[in-house]
C-alpha cells in the first residue's frame, strides 16, 4: 500500500463547533444560572468540610467570631429532640442524628448568637436570627449550656460575661464596655479546657464525601449527555472526529484488501490505493453532512474535502474534484450495499451514529 500524503489536522469552524454555539440566549442564561447554583453549593460544602475538620480548640475560636457562618448555606430541615443527643460526662457528643451544622452545641456560638436575639434586616426589618429559625435549636442550646457549666472555671467565666452585658453588651460596647473583655476571657478558658468533640463531625465528613462523589457523577453524566446531544446536532468534539477518522481509516484499508476479490462490481474491483483513500475521504465528509442534515452532492462534498484537507485537495482543483466525487459517492453506496458471495455483510458497514456514541462513551468516558 503506497504511502499517503501527510494529513494536517485542521479543526475549522465547520468541523468543530462549540457546544454552546447556536443555542438560544434564554437557554444560555438558564445554563449559567444552574451552573452558578451548582458552584455555590460546591463552595458551601467545601466550607462545611473545613469547619467540620477543625480541632475542638479551633472550633471554639471560630464560632466566637462575628459572622462564623460566612460562605455557607445550611439546610434547615432536620429537627432534633433534646433527648436524641447522647453525651459523656465531659459533654463530648457520643451519638446523635446526622446534622450538617458544625455550629451545633458550640458554646461560643450559643453565647454570642444563640437564644432570642432578633436581627435587623435592611429590607424586612426585625427578623428572627439564624439560631431562632433553626429546628435543632432546643437540643443545641441544651448541649451548649451543659458545656458552659462543665467545669467551675468555664461556669464562672460565663457568669462574669453575663454580668458584663452578655451578647447585648457585645453589640452595644458603649453601654457595656467590659462585655468584650469578659467574652474574650470566656473563650480563653474554654480553649484552655480543650474544647469539645462530637461524633457528628465524622459522620458529617463522610456525608460530604458521599455528596462529592454523587456530584461528580452527576456532572460526568450531564457532560456525557451534553456531548451526545451536541454531536447529534452537528457540533463535533475532538474525540468524535478522532472516532470518525478511525472509521475512515478502517474503510480505506478494507477497500484496498477487498479490491482484489473476485466477483466485485466494476467500480470497486482493482481499485488503486490512492483512489481508496479518496473514496474513504468522501465517505468521511458525507457522514458529517448527513449527521448535520446538510445537502450531500458532488459540489458540497468537494468543498468539504478542500476545507478538511487543503494540503491534499487544493482549491484550484475544485472542478475536477467535483466530477471525481460523483463517482466516489456512487462507489460508497456500492460498498455499503454489495454483499460478496459467501458473506452475509456488505464490504463496508453502514455508519450507525447511536453505536458510535456508545463506543465514544467507552473510549473517552467522563469519570468522577
Amino acid at each position: 500500500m503506497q504511502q499517503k500524503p501527510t494529513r494536517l489536522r485542521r479543526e475549522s469552524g465547520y468541523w468543530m463547533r462549540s457546544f454552546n454555539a447556536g443555542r438560544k440566549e434564554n437557554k444560555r442564561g438558564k445554563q449559567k444560572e444552574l451552573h452558578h447554583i451548582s458552584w455555590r453549593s460546591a463552595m458551601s460544602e467545601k466550607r462545611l468540610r473545613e469547619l467540620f475538620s477543625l480541632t475542638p480548640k479551633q472550633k471554639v475560636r471560630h464560632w466566637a467570631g462575628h459572622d462564623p457562618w460566612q460562605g455557607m448555606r445550611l439546610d434547615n430541615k432536620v429537627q432534633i429532640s433534646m433527648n436524641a443527643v447522647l453525651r459523656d460526662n465531659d459533654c463530648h457528643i457520643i451519638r446523635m442524628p446526622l446534622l450538617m451544622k458544625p455550629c451545633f452545641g458550640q458554646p461560643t456560638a450559643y453565647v454570642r448568637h444563640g437564644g432570642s436575639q432578633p436581627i435587623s434586616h435592611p429590607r424586612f426589618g426585625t427578623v428572627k436570627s439564624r439560631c431562632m429559625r433553626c429546628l435543632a435549636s432546643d437540643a443545641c442550646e441544651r448541649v451548649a449550656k451543659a458545656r458552659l457549666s462543665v467545669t467551675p472555671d468555664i461556669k464562672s467565666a460565663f457568669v462574669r460575661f453575663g454580668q458584663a452585658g452578655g451578647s447585648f453588651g457585645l453589640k452595644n460596647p458603649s453601654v457595656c464596655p467590659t462585655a468584650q473583655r469578659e467574652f474574650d476571657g470566656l473563650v480563653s478558658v474554654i480553649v484552655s479546657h480543650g474544647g469539645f468533640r462530637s461524633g457528628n463531625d465524622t459522620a458529617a465528613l463522610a456525608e460530604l464525601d458521599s455528596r462529592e462523589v454523587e456530584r461528580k457523577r452527576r456532572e460526568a453524566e450531564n457532560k456525557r449527555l451534553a456531548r451526545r446531544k451536541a454531536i447529534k446536532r452537528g457540533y463535533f468534539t475532538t474525540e468524535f472526529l478522532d472516532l470518525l477518522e478511525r472509521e475512515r481509516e478502517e474503510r480505506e484499508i478494507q477497500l484496498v484488501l477487498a479490491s482484489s476479490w473476485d466477483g466485485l462490481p466494476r467500480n470497486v474491483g482493482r481499485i488503486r490505493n490512492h483512489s481508496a483513500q479518496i473514496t474513504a475521504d468522501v465517505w468521511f465528509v458525507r457522514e458529517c453532512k448527513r449527521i448535520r442534515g446538510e445537502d450531500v452532492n458532488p459540489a458540497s462534498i468537494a468543498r468539504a474535502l478542500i476545507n478538511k484537507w487543503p494540503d491534499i485537495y487544493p482549491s484550484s482543483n475544485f472542478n475536477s474534484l467535483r466530477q471525481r466525487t460523483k463517482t466516489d459517492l456512487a462507489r460508497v453506496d456500492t460498498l455499503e450495499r454489495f454483499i460478496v458471495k459467501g458473506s452475509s455483510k456488505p464490504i463496508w458497514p453502514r455508519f450507525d451514529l447511536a453505536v458510535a456514541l456508545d463506543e465514544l462513551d467507552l473510549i473517552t468516558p467522563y469519570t468522577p
Side-chain angles (χ1 to χ4, degrees):
M1 183 175 179
Q2 70 181 30
Q3 186 177 4
K4 295 184 294 185
T6 303
R7 290 176 176 270
L8 298 178
R9 186 176 188 85
R10 176 176 172 176
E11 308 300 358
S12 65
Y14 175 85
W15 297 103
M16 187 175 182
R17 306 175 187 174
S18 168
F19 279 12
N20 291 328
R23 292 183 177 179
K24 294 182 179 180
E25 189 65 29
N26 60 340
K27 289 186 177 180
R28 285 203 299 265
K30 184 177 181 180
Q31 288 177 342
K32 289 181 180 179
E33 181 181 355
L34 292 175
H35 174 73
H36 176 69
I37 293 174
S38 176
W39 174 83
R40 185 171 57 184
S41 177
M43 291 301 294
S44 179
E45 290 187 359
K46 180 181 178 181
R47 184 60 174 154
L48 280 174
R49 184 181 297 277
E50 292 174 354
L51 295 183
F52 276 119
S53 300
L54 294 177
T55 65
K57 291 183 178 181
Q58 290 173 333
K59 291 177 182 178
V60 173
R61 295 190 180 95
H62 172 80
W63 293 107
H66 172 69
D67 186 13
W69 290 280
Q70 187 176 10
M72 285 186 296
R73 297 175 67 238
L74 300 179
D75 294 333
N76 192 26
K77 301 177 181 179
V78 179
Q79 186 171 4
I80 298 179
S81 65
M82 291 187 290
N83 297 326
V85 182
L86 180 63
R87 310 186 306 269
D88 61 15
N89 293 332
D90 296 320
C91 281
H92 301 302
I93 296 176
I94 301 174
R95 186 175 66 250
M96 64 174 288
L98 175 64
L99 183 65
M100 301 305 293
K101 293 185 176 182
C103 52
F104 181 85
Q106 293 297 327
T108 49
Y110 167 72
V111 166
R112 182 156 196 166
H113 307 282
S116 180
Q117 298 187 64
I119 59 176
S120 178
H121 192 278
R123 181 178 177 184
F124 302 107
T126 302
V127 297
K128 291 183 178 181
S129 67
R130 185 190 298 266
C131 291
M132 294 173 68
R133 298 192 307 270
C134 179
L135 297 179
S137 60
D138 291 341
C140 176
E141 289 186 12
R142 183 172 183 176
V143 173
K145 289 178 179 178
R147 288 174 169 177
L148 287 168
S149 60
V150 71
T151 67
D153 290 341
I154 295 178
K155 185 175 182 179
S156 298
F158 178 48
V159 171
R160 290 195 298 271
F161 171 64
Q163 293 172 344
S167 57
F168 173 83
L170 294 178
K171 298 176 182 177
N172 300 273
S174 59
V175 180
C176 306
T178 62
Q180 184 64 54
R181 183 184 64 194
E182 296 299 336
F183 179 71
D184 293 340
L186 173 61
V187 173
S188 178
V189 171
I190 299 176
V191 169
S192 299
H193 171 266
F196 303 94
R197 298 186 302 274
S198 174
N200 184 64
D201 295 346
T202 303
L205 289 173
E207 172 66 17
L208 290 173
D209 289 340
S210 177
R211 290 183 183 182
E212 179 70 8
V213 171
E214 176 61 19
R215 182 178 64 82
K216 289 183 177 180
R217 187 199 66 78
R218 288 197 306 268
E219 288 180 354
E221 178 66 10
N222 291 338
K223 289 179 180 179
R224 186 187 70 84
L225 294 176
R227 179 173 66 181
R228 293 175 72 98
K229 184 182 295 185
I231 291 173
K232 289 180 179 179
R233 295 176 59 189
Y235 301 102
F236 299 155
T237 64
T238 303
E239 296 84 4
F240 181 71
L241 289 175
D242 289 341
L243 183 146
L244 270 183
E245 175 60 24
R246 290 193 295 271
E247 295 279 344
R248 189 208 65 78
E249 291 177 353
E250 291 176 2
R251 282 164 172 76
E252 178 184 344
I253 295 173
Q254 182 62 27
L255 178 54
V256 172
L257 295 175
S259 63
S260 60
W261 297 349
D262 295 331
L264 295 178
R266 293 181 58 183
N267 64 342
V268 176
R270 305 298 176 183
I271 190 172
R272 295 180 180 179
N273 293 356
H274 181 61
S275 295
Q277 173 191 308
I278 297 176
T279 302
D281 290 347
V282 168
W283 171 88
F284 182 99
V285 296
R286 188 199 69 171
E287 291 305 321
C288 290
K289 286 184 169 296
R290 280 185 171 181
I291 295 172
R292 289 186 171 126
E294 298 174 351
D295 292 336
V296 176
N297 54 61
S300 66
I301 294 294
R303 293 191 189 94
L305 288 172
I306 293 171
N307 182 281
K308 177 64 176 175
W309 295 293
D311 56 316
I312 300 176
Y313 305 104
S315 58
S316 58
N317 295 343
F318 172 75
N319 288 330
S320 60
L321 182 60
R322 175 174 54 82
Q323 296 173 4
R324 164 66 191 261
T325 300
K326 183 177 181 180
T327 303
D328 287 300
L329 283 172
R331 182 179 294 120
V332 170
D333 290 337
T334 301
L335 290 168
E336 293 181 337
R337 176 172 38 85
F338 183 79
I339 299 177
V340 181
K341 186 177 180 179
S343 176
S344 60
K345 298 179 180 179
I347 301 174
W348 278 8
R350 291 186 179 275
F351 182 73
D352 190 324
L353 180 59
V355 174
L357 291 176
D358 291 340
E359 180 183 345
L360 189 63
D361 289 339
L362 294 175
I363 297 174
T364 56
Y366 287 102
T367 55

